[in-house]
Amino acid sequence: SGVLLWAGWANVGTALDAAGQRFTLPNIPAIALLDILLAGATAGLADTYAARATVVLKRAAINGTIAIEGTPAVTVIKDDAGAAAPAFSVFGTGADSYLNIHLDGMQFNATIVASLCQV
């Protein structure tokens, strides 16, 4: 078990992995509980968004695909833009599996704390 920390930002219309700043789990069979803080804004801070999300990820085998388990729990703290909720997805396979977060039309910051439990 262990803890991973990550913080970064993405430009408007791009995902968390902008400029290669990806968040990835170790290549071991494991379950991870991610606590994610998000803050986003459009140009000039016209629309702002802030939320806290909890996501459970599982990798069942070495070089296995990472998958989101269940539905991420998202608590919206601030939302000027209406339907600006972040989209959580996982793409790639094996050691190239990453968590992907997207805030459409906004530049945003994300901080991720992951607690890992190997099974």
Side-chain angles (χ1 to χ4, degrees):
S1 64
V3 175
L4 295 176
L5 300 174
W6 185 93
W9 68 279
N11 281 317
V12 172
T14 58
L16 182 68
D17 69 328
Q21 298 300 309
R22 291 174 172 158
F23 174 85
T24 186
L25 295 175
N27 192 13
I28 58 173
I31 293 176
L33 177 64
L34 279 64
D35 188 37
I36 302 171
L37 299 176
L38 292 170
T42 55
L45 300 179
D47 292 321
T48 59
Y49 180 86
R52 181 176 202 145
T54 302
V55 182
V56 177
L57 299 179
K58 180 175 77 174
R59 186 199 299 268
I62 293 175
N63 293 324
T65 301
I66 294 175
I68 291 177
E69 295 286 295
T71 302
V74 179
T75 302
V76 177
I77 300 164
K78 171 75 171 166
D79 186 359
D80 295 335
F88 297 95
S89 62
V90 175
F91 58 94
T93 57
D96 294 326
S97 294
Y98 305 100
L99 178 70
N100 180 34
I101 300 173
H102 188 263
L103 276 178
D104 189 37
M106 292 191 177
Q107 180 173 335
F108 69 97
N109 288 281
T111 301
I112 301 174
V113 179
S115 298
L116 301 175
C117 181
Q118 188 172 7
V119 294

